[in-house]
Structure formats: structure tokens, C-alpha cells
């Protein structure tokens, strides 16, 4: 609208273009509203969540025939858990509460890992609310204490189960150990960066923790009230646990100092965590430094089955190859023909150790580092030597490794390393192996074993379904597709 229109013309109504309201329609609408008021309020079906319902259903009907929970249970039923059953004290008519079947706890954790759940409290909640977890429990009540104790305290059992699975697959010819890829991934530890202390601070904290334990014990002794005994006992356990963790950090400090000296750093700068004494600060994939553990996995290239698991608190992979080769030989009973690793593994002494252990039957495939550039006597650049040409101080296995990596067919084979190791690492990450829920090397190793067993279960469903009781029908195909 122009300025002249604003000054000389009358304002235009906003709704002048709308048709006029019909008087009869307006009167009919008023009559309809009046009639609705005379008839009373509208009747609505509103929710009543306090009403008790009785559902006539059985647990067996909660999951389908091709459900993943049935696959997990079928695998657990075939495992030898006799050592856990023999340790149960509730027998016959002896006093005591009946123990939970170890197969239930094992199956719950396997299914939880495959579903990306890593918390014992969360699994315990799901056993009450999720049909698949309820089906696995079969009416047995499970608490998070029993779940966490099973996962943390059965590292040896899980190692035996992994060995049995690998041996069964190898005996059935379902896997090939011709090529095995090894890789390490740093997993965030259950410890904060601020929990790392130097020696002087640890000594001071230990003294304070000892005084706190003594004070809590004195209060518990002087307090006759029975109602506060449980709280007093909880405070005493917490104080003693803190004192023990600080003492463990002091015991780990010499190892950290020795590592500092080897790396050329100051030993007095060594620090240990009061939360998890076994954790070490490592460089992570994003370039940051955080408390972590180094989880090593060895996987067959052809079938992507995990045949070796190790956990260390050393950030470097340099000394991890020979121990893993030894572990895989013990599990499978055979020697891999080729061992594929990245550039962080091939220390010369490790190559020599693998050659000595296998009698030269296992070839190490790893990239040869580029030689450093040098300058001549006149300051000019000297062309670097051929990295694949053996050096004068090389041992026979190291010289063979250098020459081998120059062959075009070996370079083509080496491409399988990333396709194997990185894929398995990514699957573990997607299943929740981002931050460890436990503390200590032994418990962390148990968690890593659990992830390896869950991964191998899905691989067995695809490459050897007969080993876990699957046939060739729709159920097995659905399990393999999962």
C-alpha cells in the first residue's frame, strides 16, 4: 500500500473478501451446542493403569522359533559348565537357597552382548520387562549381583569355552588357519583421568584412607543401635575398598616407572590410578589420551572367527605378536601359514620369536617401515636405501620378511588384514565395547572373552550351524542372517 493510500483512503478491513455468515447456519450451530450441553459430558474410554490384569500365556510363546534367544540358549546348552555346577554348595537336603543355573547367567550375558547391553543392572531390569530375557530366565529371578559376579569371576571358564569352540570348528574343517590377522584396539577403562596420582600423593591418600578405616571401625564399635549396623558395615566396606585400591596403585607404580625409563621419560612423573591400578593412559584413536586397556584379537581371514584374545595395559602393540601366535597354536593345535599385522607389531625380536616357535612355518606379513632420509657429507640429500633389501645386521627371519613384502602377490594378500581385523573391531564396538564396565586386568579379560564368544556364536550360525544344533530350515537361515 502506498503512502498516498495511507493518507487519503479509508482503511481496508482484513476479512472484507470473506463471504457473509448465513444467519440460518449460525442459528443451527447455536442450537446444536445447546443440545450437546443438555445431553451431558462426553463419555471417553480413559486409561486405568492401576488395574490388575491376569494374562494367560506361557513363556515359550513369547519368542518365535527363529529368535536369537533360542540360538544363544542352544549354544550354551552344549557348553561344559560342570566346574561351576560342582562348586555349588546347595545340594540335596542341605540348608541353603538353590543356586541359579549357570547356563541362565551365561546365556543372559551372551544375548546382552549381542544386543549391545553391557550393564548388569540393565540386564537385571530386562529380565523383568523384555520377553527374550524372560524366556531365557524361564521364571528364575536374577539380580545384578549374580550377573556381575558371573561375568567377572569366570575368565578361566570363558577361555576354555573359546578354546573348545575353536577346536571344534578346526576339527570340522569349518575354519581355515592359513591366514590369521591380529590387531589391537584401545578400550576406555573404568577409571577417570583425575584418579592418577604420583608417589607422594598416593602415600598421603593411603595414610588418610587408613585413618578413615580406623575411624569407621571405632564408630561401628561405639554405636549400639541395631538399625544403623547395615549402614555402618557399608561405610566400612567402602573405606576398606578405597584403601585397598590405593595400595594396589602403589604396587603398580614401579612398573609404570620402569616403562617411563624405557621410553626416556622421567620416572618421577609416573602416576597410577586409585580407581583401577591396572589401567594406563594411552593414546586413543581420536588422538586424545585417556585411561584404557589394549584388547588384542586374532581372527581368521577367510571366516572371521576369533581364535585368540589377549588384554594388556601396554599401549604399544610391539611385543604382542609372538604371545598371540603361541596362544592360537595352543587353542587350535595347528600353525597358521601367514600372520598378518599392521606396522605397530613387527619388532625384529618378535619376528625371530615367531620363526623359532613355528620352525619357519608361519610367515609374518607386515609393512616394512620407510628408511629415514640422510644427508651426505656436502649437505646434499642422499637417496634412501631400498627398504626391502636386507640389512647387514638382520637375522635370517627378518631378512626374509623384508624381501617377502616386496612381492606383488604378498601385497595383494596383505590387503585382507584390514578387511578382517577392522571389521571384527567395528562389530565389537557396535556391540558396546566402547568403555569397560569392570576394573582390573582379569575382569577386563573376562569381558573381552565374552565379546569374542558372542562374535563366534554368530559366525558359527553361518559357517557351521550343525555345531550348535541348527539345521538347514528357516530357523537356521534366520539365525545366520542375524
Amino acid at each position: 500500500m502506498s503512502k498516498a493510500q495511507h493518507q487519503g483512503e479509508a482503511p481496508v478491513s482484513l476479512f472484507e473478501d470473506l463471504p457473509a455468515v448465513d444467519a440460518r447456519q449460525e442459528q443451527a450451530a447455536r442450537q446444536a451446542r445447546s443440545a450437546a450441553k443438555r445431553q451431558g459430558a462426553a463419555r471417553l474410554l480413559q486409561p486405568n493403569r492401576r488395574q490388575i490384569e491376569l494374562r494367560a500365556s506361557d513363556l515359550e510363546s513369547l519368542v518365535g522359533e527363529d529368535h536369537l534367544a533360542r540360538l544363544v540358549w542352544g549354544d550354551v546348552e552344549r557348553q561344559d559348565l560342570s566346574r561351576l555346577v560342582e562348586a555349588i554348595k546347595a545340594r540335596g537336603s542341605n540348608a541353603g537357597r538353590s543356586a541359579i543355573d549357570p547356563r541362565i547367567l551365561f546365556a543372559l550375558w551372551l544375548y546382552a552382548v549381542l544386543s549391545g547391553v553391557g550393564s548388569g543392572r540393565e540386564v537385571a531390569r530386562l529380565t523383568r520387562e523384555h520377553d527374550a530375557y524372560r524366556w531365557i530366565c524361564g521364571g528364575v529371578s536374577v539380580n545384578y549381583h549374580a550377573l556381575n559376579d558371573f561375568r567377572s569371576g569366570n575368565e578361566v571358564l570363558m577361555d576354555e569355552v573359546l578354546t573348545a569352540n575353536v577346536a571344534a570348528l578346526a576339527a570340522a574343517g569349518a575354519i581355515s588357519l592359513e591366514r590369521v590377522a591380529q590387531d589391537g584396539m584401545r578400550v576406555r577403562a573404568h577409571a577417570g583421568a583425575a584418579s592418577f596420582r604420583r608417589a607422594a600423593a598416593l602415600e598421603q591418600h593411603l595414610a588418610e584412607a587408613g585413618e578413615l578405616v580406623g575411624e569407621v571401625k571405632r564408630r561401628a564399635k561405639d554405636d549400639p543401635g541395631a538399625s544403623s549396623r547395615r549402614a555402618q558395615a557399608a561405610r566400612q566396606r567402602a573405606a576398606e575398598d578405597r584403601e585397598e585400591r590405593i595400595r594396589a596403585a602403589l604396587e603398580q607404580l614401579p612398573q609404570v616407572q620402569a616403562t617411563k625409563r624405557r621410553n626416556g621419560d622421567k620416572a618421577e612423573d609416573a602416576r597410577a590410578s586409585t580407581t583401577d591400578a591396572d589401567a594406563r593412559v594411552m593414546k586413543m584413536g581420536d588422538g586424545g589420551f585417556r585411561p584404557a586397556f589394549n584388547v588384542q584379537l586374532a581372527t581368521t581371514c577367510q571366516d572371521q572367527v576369533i581364535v585368540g584374545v589377549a588384554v594388556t595395559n601396554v599401549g604399544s602393540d610391539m611385543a604382542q605378536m609372538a604371545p598371540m601366535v603361541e596362544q592360537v597354536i595352543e587353542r587350535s593345535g595347528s600353525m597358521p601359514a601367514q600372520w598378518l599385522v599392521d606396522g605397530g607389531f613387527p619388532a625384529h625380536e618378535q619376528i625371530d620369536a615367531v620363526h623359532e616357535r613355528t620352525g619357519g612355518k608361519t610367515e609374518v606379513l607386515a609393512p616394512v617401515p620407510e628408511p629415514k632420509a640422510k644427508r651426505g657429507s656436502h649437505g646434499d640429500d642422499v637417496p634412501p636405501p631400498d627398504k626391502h633389501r636386507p640389512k647387514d645386521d638382520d637375522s635370517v627371519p627378518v631378512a626374509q620378511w623384508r624381501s617377502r613384502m616386496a612381492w606383488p602377490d604378498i601385497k595383494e594378500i596383505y590387503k585382507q588384514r584390514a578387511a578382517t581385523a577392522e571389521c571384527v573391531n567395528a562389530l565389537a564396538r557396535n556391540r558396546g565395547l566402547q568403555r569397560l564396565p569392570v576394573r582390573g586386568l582379569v575382569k577386563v579379560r573376562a569381558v573381552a572373552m565374552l565379546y569374542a564368544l558372542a562374535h563366534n556364536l554368530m559366525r558359527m550360525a553361518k559357517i557351521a550351524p550343525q555345531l550348535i544344533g541348527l539345521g538347514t530350515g528357516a530357523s537356521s537361515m534366520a539365525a545366520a542372517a542375524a
Side-chain angles (χ1 to χ4, degrees):
M1 184 180 295
S2 65
K3 185 175 180 180
Q5 288 175 326
H6 277 294
Q7 294 177 352
E9 298 180 4
V12 180
S13 174
L14 181 62
F15 303 105
E16 67 176 0
D17 294 335
L18 296 178
V21 178
D22 189 354
R24 288 177 296 179
Q25 294 179 353
E26 185 177 1
Q27 182 180 4
R30 285 198 299 267
Q31 292 176 354
R33 289 194 294 270
S34 299
K37 290 181 179 179
R38 290 193 300 268
Q39 293 175 358
R43 295 193 304 272
L44 302 176
L45 294 175
Q46 299 180 347
N48 180 11
R49 299 182 177 90
R50 296 182 180 274
Q51 182 176 355
I52 298 176
E53 294 182 352
L54 297 178
R55 295 184 177 183
S57 65
D58 60 327
L59 292 174
E60 193 67 25
S61 63
L62 296 179
V63 298
E65 291 297 328
D66 58 348
H67 199 279
L68 180 61
R70 294 184 182 273
L71 173 67
V72 171
W73 183 256
D75 178 62
V76 171
E77 278 190 317
R78 287 166 175 78
Q79 307 301 333
D80 183 11
L81 306 182
S82 57
R83 65 157 59 217
L84 300 183
V85 177
E86 292 171 358
I88 296 175
K89 297 180 180 180
R91 296 180 175 275
S93 59
N94 295 342
R97 183 180 180 181
S98 300
I100 301 175
D101 191 337
R103 295 177 299 175
I104 295 178
L105 301 175
F106 199 3
L108 284 174
W109 273 122
L110 283 176
Y111 187 82
V113 168
L114 292 173
S115 304
V117 180
S119 168
R121 291 180 181 269
E122 180 66 11
V123 175
R125 183 189 68 82
L126 290 171
T127 59
R128 301 186 297 270
E129 302 176 6
H130 195 284
D131 287 345
Y133 290 86
R134 291 176 57 206
W135 181 86
I136 293 175
C137 290
V140 178
S141 178
V142 177
N143 59 72
Y144 74 92
H145 285 292
L147 287 163
N148 289 340
D149 291 344
F150 179 88
R151 178 177 60 180
S152 301
N154 289 294
E155 182 265 339
V156 176
L157 171 69
M158 295 180 188
D159 184 82
E160 293 176 351
V161 172
L162 179 62
T163 300
N165 288 350
V166 172
L169 288 168
I175 60 174
S176 170
L177 290 170
E178 181 181 359
R179 298 188 187 99
V180 176
Q182 179 184 354
D183 194 21
M185 59 177 173
R186 294 164 184 83
V187 184
R188 182 73 161 83
H190 193 66
S195 66
F196 284 77
R197 302 281 190 275
R198 294 184 175 89
L202 288 174
E203 294 285 356
Q204 179 182 352
H205 282 285
L206 182 61
E208 295 174 355
E211 293 176 0
L212 179 61
V213 171
E215 181 181 354
V216 171
K217 289 182 177 180
R218 286 192 298 271
R219 288 181 181 180
K221 184 177 180 180
D222 297 339
D223 184 9
S227 60
S228 63
R229 288 177 184 173
R230 178 174 296 180
Q232 290 282 6
R235 284 192 290 269
Q236 181 175 338
R237 286 194 303 270
E240 291 174 347
D241 179 64
R242 173 170 172 76
E243 182 183 23
E244 183 61 30
R245 285 188 281 111
I246 296 174
R247 185 174 288 107
L250 277 170
E251 294 175 355
Q252 289 286 327
L253 203 57
Q255 298 182 16
V256 183
Q257 291 173 345
T259 303
K260 288 280 187 182
R261 293 191 189 96
R262 287 195 302 268
N263 296 336
D265 299 328
K266 296 180 180 179
E268 55 269 19
D269 291 338
R271 299 181 302 165
S273 172
T274 57
T275 304
D276 187 350
D278 289 333
R280 299 290 186 269
V281 176
M282 301 179 185
K283 187 175 182 180
M284 308 299 285
D286 59 358
F289 290 84
R290 288 180 288 275
F293 287 92
N294 189 352
V295 178
Q296 298 281 327
L297 299 177
T299 312
T300 60
C301 291
Q302 180 176 339
D303 316 292
Q304 291 194 358
V305 172
I306 297 176
V307 293
V309 180
V311 178
T312 69
N313 55 7
V314 180
S316 173
D317 296 332
M318 194 64 70
Q320 310 304 324
M321 182 169 60
M324 183 63 79
V325 173
E326 178 69 26
Q327 181 187 145
V328 171
I329 293 174
E330 291 179 357
R331 288 190 194 278
S332 62
S334 59
M335 298 181 186
Q338 293 174 328
W339 196 268
L340 285 65
V341 292
D342 61 22
F345 285 88
H348 291 184
E349 58 271 15
Q350 290 289 302
I351 297 176
D352 293 337
V354 172
H355 184 274
E356 181 180 358
R357 173 62 181 87
T358 63
K361 296 181 180 180
T362 300
E363 297 179 346
V364 175
L365 272 60
V368 180
E370 295 290 340
K372 296 181 180 180
K374 297 181 180 180
R375 289 187 176 275
S377 57
H378 300 289
D380 53 338
D381 293 336
V382 177
D386 184 7
K387 64 179 181 180
H388 298 295
R389 179 179 298 174
K391 298 182 179 179
D392 296 336
D393 57 348
D394 284 345
S395 62
V396 174
V398 172
Q400 293 175 348
W401 160 65
R402 289 185 188 275
S403 303
R404 182 187 310 124
M405 295 308 299
W407 303 344
D409 56 338
I410 292 296
K411 291 181 180 181
E412 192 66 25
I413 292 174
Y414 183 73
K415 294 179 181 179
Q416 299 180 20
R417 187 209 68 82
T420 301
E422 302 300 338
C423 176
V424 173
N425 289 352
L427 287 173
R429 298 284 193 190
N430 293 339
R431 288 170 180 152
L433 195 58
Q434 301 283 348
R435 179 164 183 163
L436 293 162
V438 296
R439 301 167 182 168
L441 269 173
V442 175
K443 295 181 180 180
V444 171
R445 191 177 294 113
V447 171
M449 288 286 180
L450 195 58
Y451 276 86
L453 290 173
H455 173 87
N456 283 359
L457 171 59
M458 303 311 297
R459 296 305 302 158
M460 291 172 68
K462 187 174 184 64
I463 64 176
Q466 70 278 6
L467 295 181
I468 51 178
L470 292 179
T472 58
S475 177
S476 64
M477 290 187 289

